[in-house]
Amino acid sequence: MLVIFGQWIMLFPHGQISFNKPINKSQKKVFIVLTCLELIFFAGLRSTNIGADTAIYLKALNYYKSLPHDKILNAKLIYPFDFEIGYFILTKICAFFSFSNAKFLFLIACLIYIPAFKFIYDYSENPFMSTMTYLAFGFFGYSLGIFRQMIAISICLMGFKYVLERKLYYYIIFILLAMTFHTTAIIMLPMYWLNKINLENKFYQILFVEATLFIFARKIVNVFIFLAPKYTGYVGGMYDIHGGSYTMLFILNVLFVLSYRCYMIDKTKFDEMSIKALVVAMYLQVVSYSMQLFGRIVPYYSIYMVLVIPCLIRAIFKKNVLVSRILLIILFLFIFYILTQGNANLNPYEFIV
């Protein structure tokens, strides 16, 4: 994070590096490409013990590599490698071409970060702060182990343009494609209709719904499991855990309160769809306290904070002073620390041997 901050300042000393002025387009493009490549190499060169599920994904790759070459592409799903069809095909293709662990990790990194940073390039008013948000709030750390879901999230981000352009069929295609990597991507389908909800004068109603969800969260979970019996096996299992840290819920609520107030003051400068996505993330986070499994679908919507936070910074820090930059970097580092503290899958970070 500190390297990226220094890079933003040093590479473009004559460019617009402020939080509240238009950013030079060429500067924006160079920064996005450079940062994306850095994260791809950082993820691709990591040790195979970094990331929550990295080991199981690499075991799947090596299992299919161990099969006779002419049997790989026709191999069937087996437990515990019973992945969705899109990721399953990707794994078999990589096995067919004898990808090493490192090459496979590089490919996964490309599939995750290139769409994500294209999204930031297209819609963020400050790619530096969006990148810092992506890192500080755990999306990058999450991507180092949760391959299928993060690929699905990136595919959904690619489909966001069709939400704005009101092209439902194209958006559905992206959702279906994302679901071939992780079925939870279906949760993003309602995003298309969020534009029909008017945020104006809905502040207290939104918070009331959030409070109500605390009361009825388990009933909502039971209804979901009834409609999706595939997840019945999770009931009473390791993911059927009550409670958990309220740090992310607190962060989401603070971001919502601040962004909503700023939005009501100046609607033209705030992306209403991103604020609505934050609201959905709040609701999903509340439900996840009744069953931890639901916490896995929060990032589909919470990732839109990469658009909201730069807008907030511009609205709050009217003057682009050095002190504000330094304080923000310290704040982001602190958030990164409290969200990753004690995570043995990420800390200590090691490069591949």
Side-chain angles (χ1 to χ4, degrees), residues 239-254:
Y239 291 110
D240 191 6
I241 301 173
H242 296 257
S245 170
Y246 287 87
T247 303
M248 182 53 69
L249 183 62
F250 173 77
I251 291 172
L252 289 171
N253 273 268
V254 169

Side-chain angles (χ1 to χ4, degrees), residues 125-187:
E125 67 173 51
N126 191 304
F128 166 65
M129 295 312 305
S130 292
T131 301
M132 296 299 283
T133 301
Y134 189 83
L135 293 167
F137 288 90
F139 299 106
F140 178 67
Y142 197 62
S143 71
L144 293 177
I146 314 298
F147 299 172
R148 289 148 52 219
Q149 187 177 0
M150 288 305 292
I151 292 174
I153 290 174
S154 290
I155 293 172
C156 291
L157 293 178
M158 290 173 63
F160 182 64
K161 66 173 292 189
Y162 299 112
V163 174
L164 300 180
E165 295 174 2
R166 312 308 302 155
K167 295 180 179 178
L168 177 59
Y169 295 120
Y170 289 101
Y171 185 61
I172 289 177
I173 289 172
F174 275 90
I175 297 300
L176 292 175
L177 177 60
M179 289 178 65
T180 67
F181 285 87
H182 210 280
T183 53
T184 56
I186 188 65
I187 196 68

